[in-house]
């Protein structure tokens, strides 16, 4: 089998040109939006897209409008050469890796997608003001450029996935949104590009985040009725004292409305800071 070279596209017009050729050929286009520094979590999305679509386009764009002023936009890991190799190995047709100026002529004066406040005033949206406006806007722009049949998102960012699905329904965007399970390291730590910021000691501590979620699941499966305070007690007992919990919240996965006790379809979501590095994880019961 001959593997064709992955195309590296920097401009919207190059993507549009490719997409128009693929559409003429009735190809099913799969799309995986990422911020790069690809790991096995991203790879799982790409592999799924490859099995379900004729051609897969991966975007690599660290989107400035979804970062707050005190967040890690400048430090965000970049490894384009390695990302190209991964995409090539997996059989991706094209990578869209624009610079910010290609995506935005002016971020100060920008028409934006504003997801409903009731979906943003919880979990990551509480501390990351404007984050989901930036995410929804860039994802809609990418959908308009790539015009995919299917787009693949990770459950790792559960609130993001929920908001994107809602945007697609509300704005009648012709794309299927496919949610993919969280990929973890053998230790249980959810894979994340931000894990590269962690020292060895911090990583040892970070492993305990998934232990909290596993422990809640085990207690639930053993028949205990757990409210949010009990879930918090489990977390505090497992996590090191130096880990600060930003949130530990429980929602109905279908509605993203809060639930009082752990039950079927409960999403338990956690964000912590370890040595100043923010990590998120979640578990769907
Ligand atoms: P990012 O590059 O962090 O913006 O992520 C791009 C996509 O990959 C998003 O849809 C994420 O939810 C997904 N993703 C990131 N980490 C994981 C993971 N550990 N497992 C599954 N999907 C992931």
């Amino acid at each position: 089998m001959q593997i064709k070279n992955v195309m590296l596209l920097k401009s919207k017009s190059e993507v549009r040109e490719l997409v128009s050729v693929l559409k003429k050929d009735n190809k099913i286009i799969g799309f995986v939006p990422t911020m790069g520094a690809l790991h096995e979590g991203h790879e799982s999305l790409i592999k799924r897209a490859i099995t379900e679509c004729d051609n897969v386009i991966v975007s690599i764009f660290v989107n400035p409008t979804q970062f707050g002023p005190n967040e890690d936009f400048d430090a965000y890991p970049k490894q384009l050469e390695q990302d190209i190799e991964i995409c090539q190995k997996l059989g991706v047709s094209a990578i869209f890796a624009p610079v910010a100026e290609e995506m935005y002529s002016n971020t100060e004066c920008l028409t934006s997608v504003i997801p409903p406040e009731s979906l943003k005033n919880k979990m990551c949206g509480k501390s990351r003001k404007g984050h989901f406006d930036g995410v929804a806007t860039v994802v809609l722009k990418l959908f308009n450029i790539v015009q995919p049949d299917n787009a693949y998102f990770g459950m790792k960012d559960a609130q993001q996935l929920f908001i994107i699905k809602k945007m697609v329904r509300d704005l009648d965007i012709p794309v299927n949104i496919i949610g993919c399970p969280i990929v973890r390291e053998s230790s249980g730590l959810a894979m994340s590009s931000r894990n590269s910021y962690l020292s060895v000691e911090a990583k040892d501590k970070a492993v305990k985040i998934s232990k909290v979620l596993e422990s809640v699941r085990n207690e639930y499966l053993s028949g205990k009725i757990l409210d949010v305070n009990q879930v918090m007690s489990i977390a505090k007992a497992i996590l090191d004292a130096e880990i600060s919990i930003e949130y530990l919240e429980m929602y109905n996965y279908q509605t993203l409305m809060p639930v009082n006790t752990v039950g079927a379809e409960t999403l338990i979501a956690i964000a912590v800071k370890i040595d100043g590095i923010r990590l998120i994880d979640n578990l769907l019961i």
Side-chain angles (χ1 to χ4, degrees), residues 11 14 27 39 43 55 57 68 87 97 102 106 135 162 164 170 198 210 212 214 237 271 275 277 281:
S11 68
E14 286 172 299
K27 300 290 190 197
H39 51 66
E43 285 189 30
N55 293 85
I57 299 177
C87 289
E102 177 68 10
N106 179 358
V135 168
F162 195 96
I164 298 293
D170 289 350
L198 297 168
S210 64
V212 170
E214 271 169 36
D275 297 349
I277 297 154
D281 200 350

Side-chain angles (χ1 to χ4, degrees), residues 41-230:
H42 300 112
E43 285 189 30
S44 71
L45 272 52
I46 297 171
K47 283 180 187 158
R48 171 114 183 243
I50 298 261
T51 63
E52 296 179 352
C53 307
D54 297 314
N55 293 85
V56 173
I57 299 177
V58 172
S59 65
I60 296 180
F61 180 56
V62 184
N63 173 36
T65 68
Q66 69 189 65
F67 286 79
N70 299 318
E71 294 184 353
D72 57 344
F73 175 68
D74 290 326
Y76 199 84
K78 289 172 192 69
Q79 46 164 63
L80 186 60
E81 287 307 314
Q82 207 173 311
D83 291 347
I84 294 171
E85 265 175 44
I86 291 170
C87 289
Q88 169 92 27
K89 177 192 80 184
L90 296 177
V92 169
S93 299
I95 296 170
F96 176 43
V99 294
E101 293 71 26
E102 177 68 10
M103 291 297 282
Y104 303 108
S105 54
N106 179 358
T107 51
E108 298 303 311
C109 177
L110 182 69
T111 306
S112 296
V113 180
I114 311 292
E117 199 50 42
S118 61
L119 301 181
K120 295 189 296 185
N121 62 8
K122 54 188 64 164
M123 298 163 72
C124 297
K126 247 189 324 198
S127 65
R128 303 191 73 187
K129 295 283 172 227
H131 170 69
F132 288 112
D133 301 351
V135 168
T137 304
V138 79
V139 169
L140 179 58
K141 282 167 68 65
L142 289 167
F143 284 170
N144 285 335
I145 297 162
V146 176
Q147 299 168 58
D149 297 281
N150 298 342
Y152 297 79
F153 291 84
M155 260 301 286
K156 164 90 185 338
D157 299 278
Q159 190 176 13
Q160 167 175 284
L161 175 58
F162 195 96
I163 285 174
I164 298 293
K165 279 185 175 165
K166 179 87 169 98
M167 173 182 80
V168 163
R169 269 200 311 274
D170 289 350
L171 301 182
D172 299 306
I173 305 168
V175 59
N176 302 312
I177 302 299
I178 294 158
C180 304
I182 299 177
V183 176
R184 299 176 180 282
E185 295 187 0
S186 54
S187 64
L189 177 65
M191 297 218 176
S192 164
S193 305
R194 290 190 169 96
N195 290 353
S196 65
Y197 300 150
L198 297 168
S199 64
V200 176
E201 297 77 33
K203 207 164 182 184
D204 281 344
K205 289 181 202 159
V207 166
K208 298 196 175 157
I209 305 166
S210 64
K211 302 283 177 260
V212 170
L213 298 172
E214 271 169 36
S215 178
V216 172
R217 178 177 21 216
N218 291 340
E219 299 255 319
Y220 166 73
L221 292 176
S222 76
K224 287 220 180 88
I225 296 173
L226 299 167
D227 65 20
V228 79
N229 294 327
Q230 284 153 314

Side-chain angles (χ1 to χ4, degrees), residues 18 120 124-125 130 132 139 148 160 180 238 244-245 254-255 264 268:
L18 170 67
K120 295 189 296 185
C124 297
F132 288 112
V139 169
Q160 167 175 284
C180 304
I238 292 176
S244 68
I245 301 174
Q254 300 292 345
T255 61
I268 304 161

